[in-house]
Amino acid sequence: MKNKLFLFLLAAVALLALPILAQQFGQGWVRILALALLYVLLALGLNIVVGYAGLLDLGYVAFYAVGAYMYALLASPHLAENFEWIARALPGGMHTPIWAVIPLAAGLAALAGVLLGTPVLKLRGDYLAIVTLGFGEIIRVFMNNMEYPLNITNGPRGLDRIDSMNLFGFSFGETHYIGGFALPSVTLYYYLFLALVIFSVLICYRLERSRIGRAWMAIREDEIAAKAMGINTRNMKLLAFGMGATFGGVSGSMFAAFQGFVSPESFSLQESVMIVAMIVLGGLGHIPGVILGAVMLAALPEVLRYVAGPLQDMTGGRLDAAILRQLLIASAMISIMLLRPRGLWPSPEHGKAAPRPVTKLMR
């Protein structure tokens, strides 16, 4: 117990000091760390649907988009500029406080999750993946085309001038000084995302060991057996979709505040596939593995920028750096999955006897 407490304290100190050290090499590195934490939050939400309940969801980025656009519309002057009745009511534009926007984003995303889950309750495996993939693409196309006749999402141009996060008068969009030491905006967002990740980990940890979590895992292992044991599989599936979508909605609102700009290009199918890859690569249903996979796949593309550049120079510029970077990422993922098919940090197997060596029978 003392060793675990020591490790927790050591990890806490390292996570708190990491952005301070990283900002000495430039704010770009702190930005990579903050985005990695945002992807951890997304991966924890998708892990509820895929890792716990066993429902393959390839449209998870749709809930991410719902949360981002909800925050962008309620915390920017876009609606006031395009709708006269809003401009008359709010001449300065809509600048909804954060304590109202985030619950709305989470609630709307949860509603979207339930609406998605309702018609696909009897689908599993590849069929469920195809339907959820289509749902994600519908949301992206919807955001891309809601510019005419009513300009709601501003189409492919996206929404800008989004307010930064402001909590009880403390603005995360400004540089603050503590004891003469500067904390830039990106560092403040890192600490905000870190607090959200810790809170989400606690929620997932409690869910995993609750009756609801055990019901999800029973459905994942054998839905017919779970139903025979008296588990209401319909409600449990809808709860998994809604709970996972809530994480996506909150992550989307954080992303909009952090970037200050959202567009449909940020919510492509590739993002959904990447989030699924994070939890599969780390270890399905295992919180430490999911965090490890999310951090690796979120930070690896940015780190490989410094590898792809020299390789491009070595080939005389004949290889595109972006394509080369994707090739390196794909090669690393294939190698890891061949060597560790259950993930980098899989959950321990329970209920199975320890393997015994086979010995020849003595006659």
Side-chain angles (χ1 to χ4, degrees), residues 135-153:
F135 179 77
E137 283 299 290
I138 287 171
I139 294 297
R140 185 186 65 81
V141 172
F142 178 80
M143 301 299 183
N144 202 37
N145 289 277
M146 281 303 294
E147 184 180 7
Y148 181 83
L150 295 176
N151 188 1
I152 297 177
T153 64

Side-chain angles (χ1 to χ4, degrees), residues 40 43 274 277-283 287-299 344-345:
V40 169
M274 185 63 75
M278 288 174 182
I279 63 176
V280 174
L281 185 69
I287 295 175
V290 169
I291 295 173
L292 177 62
V295 170
M296 282 192 61
L297 281 187
L344 290 171
W345 196 343

Side-chain angles (χ1 to χ4, degrees), residues 57-196:
D57 187 357
L58 290 182
Y60 188 71
V61 76
F63 311 123
Y64 188 37
V66 166
Y69 271 91
M70 169 63 77
Y71 184 91
L73 289 172
L74 295 182
S76 73
H78 174 75
L79 291 179
E81 291 176 352
N82 289 276
F83 296 91
E84 294 183 2
W85 62 275
I86 295 179
R88 288 194 298 268
L90 301 167
M94 295 186 70
H95 302 283
T96 312
I98 188 62
W99 52 264
V101 175
I102 291 184
L104 283 173
L108 185 61
L111 178 61
V114 173
L115 291 177
L116 168 64
T118 302
V120 300
L121 289 174
K122 295 184 179 180
L123 299 179
R124 289 187 65 84
D126 301 338
Y127 303 101
L128 178 61
I130 292 171
V131 173
T132 54
L133 185 152
F135 179 77
E137 283 299 290
I138 287 171
I139 294 297
R140 185 186 65 81
V141 172
F142 178 80
M143 301 299 183
N144 202 37
N145 289 277
M146 281 303 294
E147 184 180 7
Y148 181 83
L150 295 176
N151 188 1
I152 297 177
T153 64
N154 210 29
R157 292 174 295 175
L159 299 173
D160 57 359
R161 295 171 294 167
I162 302 172
D163 296 343
S164 59
M165 198 70 64
N166 193 304
L167 192 61
F168 300 113
F170 183 86
S171 176
F172 286 84
E174 301 175 358
T175 300
H176 292 266
Y177 294 88
I178 299 178
F181 189 80
L183 288 177
S185 171
V186 66
T187 305
L188 296 175
Y189 274 110
Y190 168 88
Y191 288 124
L192 175 62
F193 296 163
L194 180 61
L196 285 173

Side-chain angles (χ1 to χ4, degrees), residues 144-275:
N144 202 37
N145 289 277
M146 281 303 294
E147 184 180 7
Y148 181 83
L150 295 176
N151 188 1
I152 297 177
T153 64
N154 210 29
R157 292 174 295 175
L159 299 173
D160 57 359
R161 295 171 294 167
I162 302 172
D163 296 343
S164 59
M165 198 70 64
N166 193 304
L167 192 61
F168 300 113
F170 183 86
S171 176
F172 286 84
E174 301 175 358
T175 300
H176 292 266
Y177 294 88
I178 299 178
F181 189 80
L183 288 177
S185 171
V186 66
T187 305
L188 296 175
Y189 274 110
Y190 168 88
Y191 288 124
L192 175 62
F193 296 163
L194 180 61
L196 285 173
V197 166
I198 292 172
F199 182 66
S200 301
V201 167
L202 292 175
I203 292 176
C204 292
Y205 182 83
R206 295 297 298 172
L207 278 174
E208 184 179 347
R209 285 154 180 78
S210 67
R211 294 180 62 184
I212 294 174
R214 296 180 188 276
W216 283 337
M217 294 175 195
I219 294 172
R220 179 191 66 193
E221 298 300 328
D222 193 328
E223 185 176 348
I224 297 175
K227 188 178 293 187
M229 292 170 61
I231 296 174
N232 190 328
T233 56
R234 173 183 175 276
N235 290 349
M236 287 296 106
K237 285 183 179 181
L238 289 177
L239 184 60
F241 275 115
M243 184 68 72
T246 301
F247 281 71
V250 173
S251 303
S253 62
M254 294 295 110
F255 174 76
F258 181 57
Q259 291 283 100
F261 171 78
V262 294
S263 71
E265 294 180 0
S266 302
F267 312 106
S268 63
L269 174 62
Q270 185 179 358
E271 288 293 314
S272 271
V273 174
M274 185 63 75
I275 301 168

